[in-house]
Amino acid sequence: MSVNASSRRNLLRASGLAGLVVAGSAVATGAAQAAPSPASIVSTVDTVAELRALNTTPFEDGAQVLVAGYHTPGDGGAMAVRWDKKSDTAHNGGTVIAP
């Protein structure tokens, strides 16, 4: 049994348009989102010195901070760090940054 190429194209075209309609309706109605938890709010600082000077009292466990550079922003020392309230690991200037 042979399938007509033009009817296959019509089927693909119709299914593609149906997909666009579904996608368009999802965009038009908006997606449901949960409110961010305090731990998912990301703070930013320019340097590790600014990071170490932060008041950590209000930080929730797991709070995240983006650091733009080690000594100056853009110097190659950028990092993303996560606050661990229970940590008692000593500051080592690299993998552990203590306040």
Side-chain angles (χ1 to χ4, degrees), residues 1-5 7-8:
M1 177 191 214
S2 154
V3 176
N4 186 341
S7 57
R8 189 176 318 152

Side-chain angles (χ1 to χ4, degrees), residues 1-65:
M1 177 191 214
S2 154
V3 176
N4 186 341
S6 67
S7 57
R8 189 176 318 152
R9 270 187 242 132
N10 288 336
L11 176 63
L12 290 172
R13 186 177 300 123
S15 64
L17 290 175
L20 287 175
V21 169
V22 170
S25 65
V27 170
T29 59
Q33 295 181 356
S37 71
S40 68
I41 297 171
V42 179
S43 302
T44 60
V45 294
D46 285 338
T47 65
V48 170
E50 286 181 32
L51 174 68
R52 295 190 74 197
L54 284 176
N55 175 11
T56 58
T57 304
F59 279 8
E60 296 281 332
D61 196 40
Q64 301 171 44
V65 180

